[in-house]
Amino acid sequence: MKRIFFYNSFSNIMLELVVWMIYLKEQGWSLAEVAMLEGIFTISQVIFEFPSGVISDKLGHKKTLLLGEIFCILYLLTYFFPHIHIIVYLGFIMFALGLAFISGTDISLLYESISEEEKNSYLKYSGYFNAIAAFSVAIGNILGGWIAQISWNLLFILAILFRTTALIIGFKIKEPDIKKQVDTLSLKSIITELFNFIKHQKNYICLIAGLGFSTAAVDLSYQYGPLIMQKFSFDTGMISTVFGSLSLLGAVAGLLTYKLTQKVSENILLIILLLFGLTLLLSLFIHNMLIVLFSLITVNVIFEMWNIIFENKIQEVAYADIRATVISTGNVFISGLLALGSGLISLVGEKISLVWIIGSIGSIFLIIALISTLFYISKQK
């Protein structure tokens, strides 16, 4: 398990994460072109997520994880050709494929590394896992903006080195020796079992809807947050510092989640967090710099808490032999919502304030997430 945590720390140091939009804007890309690129990325995620989950369950989680890192390295190389748009488009498609291989596979490895006696404590281990990821993202965010002010090429070279280190560590991960039924299943059988799972696990639909809409709402604020801050005259160094601090606070929030659920029920905490997130996104309409900054930071911090709770609930209902497939199916839905959001921004981003667009889409998505979560709680009762 320690190697999984160690791998997770290097895989999430993404120096380009906060500043890539700023980089492309400096290279002559318009907001519409950037939003279109983001749309291509999320549509690619929609296409790749489900098959990547099936491949992960069939091929093995460790091998799939390594494939994901290789595609992420190839994606980083395309930043050296910003004026050849087709290469950048292909790079983001490879990035979508790489992340699709990694997402769901990493937490499946984590879950299977926990002994049967400690399965009930998955929320605690998930908190550690997400906290490490958030801390690594914080390091990447803080360093990324300041390195960019020195040299963009240096930033991408270092980003490749971090990914390569994650790949090397990934080779040393010991996959749990679990002989799963899926080893003997055909692709058709896996899909049939997935449909049976969805049919019999009614709560899964409500959970995925709640997680999907709430994740999309916050992810859009995170993705376009740097451009919003740039409009308020923040430089890349300050933007990366703010988003790095955001991730550090998210790491702390992830660690606190398990302790809070020992005092307050998961369902009540989930509703409180979603309501608070909705209030923060609605406050974006005030369009005051300090309020916008506070709202962007806080909503991304508390997201780490409700994300862990949703993830824990999904792990509890997922079948062991199609675990990565189940998680990837949920990620398909999330990616589709992000593609929809980016498409809307691409259409009206040059006509309407970006802050208002993020506030509108995010608020609507969080309201739907709240309704879905309430349905889930009512079904439990």
Side-chain angles (χ1 to χ4, degrees):
M1 186 181 296
K2 290 181 180 178
R3 289 177 181 174
I4 296 175
F5 285 149
F6 198 37
Y7 157 81
N8 187 40
S9 64
F10 277 92
S11 181
N12 282 285
I13 301 178
M14 296 177 280
L15 300 176
E16 82 288 352
L17 189 62
V18 169
V19 297
W20 71 267
M21 285 189 179
I22 297 173
Y23 170 69
L24 292 181
K25 288 273 287 182
E26 288 185 5
Q27 300 299 320
W29 289 59
S30 66
L31 177 60
E33 288 174 326
V34 170
M36 185 182 298
L37 178 63
E38 181 67 27
I40 290 172
F41 168 72
T42 49
I43 289 171
S44 299
Q45 282 187 305
V46 172
I47 295 170
F48 296 140
E49 276 291 355
F50 178 75
S52 70
V54 176
I55 291 170
S56 181
D57 282 325
K58 193 72 178 172
L59 183 64
H61 296 153
K62 177 180 175 178
K63 292 178 182 177
T64 307
L65 208 65
L66 298 178
L67 278 174
E69 290 298 332
I70 291 170
F71 279 111
C72 287
I73 291 171
L74 293 174
Y75 139 78
L76 288 168
L77 290 171
T78 65
Y79 277 110
F80 294 104
F81 309 95
H83 298 298
I84 308 177
H85 287 206
I86 187 64
I87 291 180
V88 179
Y89 291 143
L90 290 173
F92 271 70
I93 292 172
M94 285 189 287
F95 189 38
L97 180 57
L99 290 183
F101 277 135
I102 295 170
S103 69
T105 299
D106 52 359
I107 58 176
S108 295
L109 265 176
L110 174 68
Y111 190 83
E112 291 171 356
S113 297
I114 301 171
S115 64
E116 288 300 321
E117 295 76 17
E118 293 184 295
K119 290 296 187 190
N120 290 334
S121 298
Y122 174 74
L123 187 64
K124 177 175 69 174
Y125 291 109
S126 177
Y128 291 146
F129 187 82
N130 282 277
I132 290 170
F135 183 75
S136 298
V137 169
I139 293 174
N141 288 350
I142 293 171
L143 292 178
W146 296 106
I147 294 173
Q149 290 186 331
I150 299 170
S151 169
W152 285 108
N153 285 340
L154 176 62
L155 181 143
F156 297 125
I157 290 170
L158 291 174
I160 291 169
L161 289 176
F162 280 120
R163 278 289 179 189
T164 304
T165 303
L167 178 65
I168 294 170
I169 296 171
F171 272 109
K172 298 183 178 181
I173 292 175
K174 291 183 179 179
E175 190 165 7
D177 187 18
I178 300 175
K179 186 64 178 177
K180 297 186 293 184
Q181 180 185 346
V182 76
D183 292 334
T184 59
L185 292 178
S186 64
L187 176 60
K188 182 180 179 181
S189 299
I190 293 174
I191 295 174
T192 301
E193 186 167 356
L194 175 65
F195 278 112
N196 285 333
F197 165 77
I198 295 173
K199 180 180 178 181
H200 292 101
Q201 294 290 344
K202 304 293 185 182
N203 285 338
Y204 175 74
I205 303 298
C206 295
L207 286 171
I208 284 301
L211 175 61
F213 279 103
S214 63
T215 299
V218 179
D219 272 5
L220 286 173
S221 74
Y222 188 90
Q223 291 170 354
Y224 292 92
L227 291 184
I228 291 174
M229 291 182 65
Q230 193 179 42
K231 289 181 181 295
F232 284 118
S233 301
F234 285 85
D235 61 29
T236 54
M238 184 57 67
I239 291 171
S240 67
T241 301
V242 168
F243 275 78
S245 302
L246 178 159
S247 297
L248 285 174
L249 292 171
V252 175
L255 292 173
L256 288 175
T257 306
Y258 178 71
K259 293 183 178 179
L260 286 174
T261 55
Q262 301 302 299
K263 299 180 180 180
V264 183
S265 76
E266 290 183 17
N267 290 340
I268 292 175
L269 182 58
L270 200 53
I271 294 299
I272 292 172
L273 291 170
L274 290 173
L275 283 171
F276 187 30
L278 177 59
T279 303
L280 291 167
L281 288 179
L282 287 171
S283 69
L284 292 177
F285 291 105
I286 299 174
H287 214 286
N288 175 275
M289 183 184 73
L290 292 178
I291 292 176
V292 168
L293 191 60
F294 173 79
S295 298
L296 287 175
I297 291 174
T298 309
V299 75
N300 278 274
V301 170
I302 64 171
F303 163 74
E304 294 294 338
M305 302 177 77
W306 81 58
N307 180 60
I308 290 172
I309 297 172
F310 271 124
E311 184 183 291
N312 178 58
K313 290 180 177 295
I314 291 171
Q315 288 281 16
E316 287 175 351
V317 300
Y319 294 168
D321 52 354
I322 55 168
R323 187 174 304 281
T325 305
V326 167
I327 295 169
S328 291
T329 301
N331 289 338
V332 170
F333 179 62
I334 296 171
S335 299
L337 292 175
L338 288 172
L340 174 63
S342 291
L344 291 172
I345 293 171
S346 177
L347 289 172
V348 300
E350 302 291 346
K351 303 173 184 177
I352 304 174
S353 167
L354 186 58
V355 178
W356 281 36
I357 298 172
I358 297 299
S360 300
I361 298 174
S363 299
I364 293 170
F365 279 5
L366 267 186
I367 289 171
I368 298 172
L370 262 168
I371 294 171
S372 301
T373 305
L374 289 171
F375 266 112
Y376 162 75
I377 294 172
S378 66
K379 283 179 178 291
Q380 275 194 316
K381 291 181 179 179

